[in-house]
Amino acid sequence: MTLLSWSVLTDPNTQWILIGCMLLGLMSGIIGSFTYLRKQSLIGDTLAHAALPGICIAFMLTGVKSLPLFFLGAFVSGLLATLLITVITRYTRIKADAAMGIVLSVFFGIGIVLLTHIQHSSYGNQSGLDKFLFGQAASMIASDVYTMIGVSAVIVIASSLLFKEFKLLSFDPGFARGLGFPVGFLEQLLMFFTVMTVIVGIQAVGVVLVAALLITPAVAARYWTDRLGLMVVLSGLFGAISGVIGTLISTTTSNLPTGPLSVLAATVVFVFSVLFAPQRGVCAKAVRRIRNNRAIRMAEHVREIQHSPVYSKEESL
Amino acid sequence: MMEFWIIGTGALVAIACGILGCFLVLRRMSLIGDAISHSVLPGIVIAFMISGSRDSLGMLLGASVLGLITVFLIQLFQQSGVQSDASIGVVFTALFAVGVVLISLNARQVDLDLDCVLFGEIAYVHWNTISVLGIDFIPKSVWILGITVLFILVIIGLFYKQFKICAFDPAMALACGIPVALFHYVLMGLVSMTTVASFESVGAILVVGMLIVPASTAYLLTERLSVMILYSVLIGIACSVFGYMIAAWLDASIAGMMVTVAGAIFAIALVFSPRHGLLMRLRRRRKWAEVAG
């Protein structure tokens, strides 16, 4: 097993895929930190599900399987989905969670209808389209990895240049507006980055689970620190590690899709953080509780001694 | 006969989901329904690996327990300070991933593939019949769904008043001495049971569509809970009938088409609903403008 995985590692093709998945984890971790703090974690889930009909329509119109075209299709349907959620929540009495559920499931339903329609009819080169559901990193080709490198470079550079703006947006958008920042534009930009991450991630991780890469590393990172800068770095790191581990296992073992494995790797990091994080972790809390109890018992003990007859007698003498 | 059983199965799914969906929408827990429908998957796979059959009552209960565990975990993380939607996201993606990996690992032994998980196999329902009480032409999944619907009707029927108060005003329900937490978990248990029972016919992801979309459509059309449940069930049944017909015509996924039809009906209600529709809103606003001007 180890021999096999090392021989796979030296394969240049696999190295590209590994780099691609690592970058994917990195950027989804970074963007995920902001969406988590903005309480929009599940927007990634909705966008990913909504991307499916866009991808199918792009394929049906052109008949070719190319990432930029899918990107366009997914982008348009993702935009439509967010617009619909806003319309439903703003103009009717339906609440945000139901609106998200409606848009998510209906778009996905349409996507599945289109997907099965494509599969049942003669579209020729349709093989691999169903890989979009659970992801298959091994099916990535060099140009896909180049796209990933480009997108992640844009996201990393933009979030470090606009760090202050995004920080303000995440914690207090009202204050940011008061200071004269273009809040609407920044929100749209962050949404655009989320859509980009989701779409790039779909091929590696799949429609169903790509949202986890936006959510889980960010929540795990939140356990370790109270500083946004550190949280973003940690979250990116956790995401990258999960992407690498998921890809490694998936490429060395046959039959296992990359998406679920990466998600499980991220979940392991999350569970580890829940247990062992220095301040909020379960263990740290237990230690603190034990120490507190000991201190309280000590204080009670001292008080008992002070109030004990022997002690007070001596004092009165 | 084949068409009858397919539409009948779809209708039973619609009834079960339509009733429970109303309570989920009213309690603002639509996304928890979504989470449960994903996370019962490992329960289904494990029960399937142990028992070797796909639709036993044991599996129904075993997987429903996993739904309750999901709800419990989500609440646990929420209480420890994780934001609610993020904790939903973490829990259901992790459990769903476990399910998918288990299926992929046992792809040879287990007669359960990823397509079935996503789309369901409602088109093959009528091939899988079982003999109960000497009647041998009714499909297995109709039995399972029928029992689930009956169970839901009995529980909701018996405790209708309690569920109603919990849905609209949990604080008042608590003040009235109703065990709100217990009813919460009963509702969640029913949702998981429905998900497991419907899973084979409509797939894990589209169950949530049948839970939320007809109920939300009904929510736009009425102010009474009983009428809302009725509308929701009727809309769901309409979805299964028209969904099947259009899917047969287009040669596409039946389950996907059912949810698409549900979406279309929702869109119509969104625009034309007599009280809450967009058109009515526009007209009302214009009227106010006239009054003011």
Side-chain angles (χ1 to χ4, degrees), chain B residues 106-232:
Chain B
N106 301 288
R108 282 185 206 86
Q109 296 96 331
V110 179
D111 172 31
L112 194 71
D113 58 61
L114 285 177
D115 278 2
C116 163
V117 170
L118 281 176
F119 315 136
E121 291 185 329
I122 199 167
Y124 310 129
V125 157
H126 57 285
W127 286 341
N128 194 359
T129 55
I130 187 175
S131 172
V132 178
L133 307 171
I135 310 166
D136 59 355
F137 56 86
I138 297 181
K140 260 187 192 174
S141 49
V142 171
W143 279 110
I144 297 276
L145 277 166
I147 292 170
T148 312
V149 169
L150 204 67
F151 193 64
I152 291 171
L153 284 176
V154 168
I155 300 270
I156 300 280
L158 279 179
F159 301 106
Y160 182 70
K161 205 186 288 173
Q162 283 87 340
F163 275 115
K164 190 174 176 178
I165 301 178
C166 287
F168 286 104
D169 197 340
M172 181 182 149
L174 206 60
C176 294
I178 297 169
V180 176
L182 178 72
F183 278 103
H184 174 73
Y185 274 99
V186 168
L187 184 64
M188 294 296 119
L190 289 178
V191 171
S192 347
M193 208 175 137
T194 309
T195 311
V196 181
S198 330
F199 158 87
E200 196 194 357
S201 14
V202 295
I205 292 160
L206 294 172
V207 173
V208 69
M210 295 308 283
L211 273 172
I212 301 171
V213 185
S216 302
T217 314
Y219 187 48
L220 287 176
L221 297 175
T222 175
E223 312 289 326
R224 294 184 61 84
L225 179 61
S226 50
V227 183
M228 180 176 164
I229 293 176
L230 184 71
Y231 281 176
S232 166

Side-chain angles (χ1 to χ4, degrees), chain A residues 36 93 95 97 116-117 120, chain B residues 28 30 83 219 222 250 253:
Chain A
Y36 173 66
R93 57 175 180 165
K95 308 296 176 304
D97 65 322
T116 44
H117 185 65
H120 292 171
Chain B
R28 299 179 194 187
S30 314
Q83 278 159 21
Y219 187 48
T222 175
L250 279 180
S253 155

Side-chain angles (χ1 to χ4, degrees), chain A residues 49-90:
Chain A
H49 283 77
L52 190 63
I55 291 175
C56 290
I57 290 174
F59 179 78
M60 285 166 86
L61 288 180
T62 60
V64 287
K65 196 172 150 283
S66 80
L67 205 55
L69 271 176
F70 288 170
F71 185 93
L72 192 70
F75 185 69
V76 171
S77 60
L79 223 56
L80 194 65
T82 46
L83 190 75
L84 279 176
I85 293 176
T86 320
V87 167
I88 293 173
T89 41
R90 189 173 295 169

Side-chain angles (χ1 to χ4, degrees), chain B residues 39-41 43-44 47 58-68 192-193 196:
Chain B
S39 55
V40 292
L41 182 64
I44 291 172
M59 175 166 136
L60 202 63
L61 293 177
S64 305
V65 169
L66 214 79
L68 290 181
S192 347
M193 208 175 137
V196 181

Side-chain angles (χ1 to χ4, degrees), chain B residues 39-58:
Chain B
S39 55
V40 292
L41 182 64
I44 291 172
V45 182
I46 293 169
F48 189 72
M49 274 155 50
I50 294 171
S51 69
S53 82
R54 197 184 290 172
D55 24 30
S56 61
L57 278 178

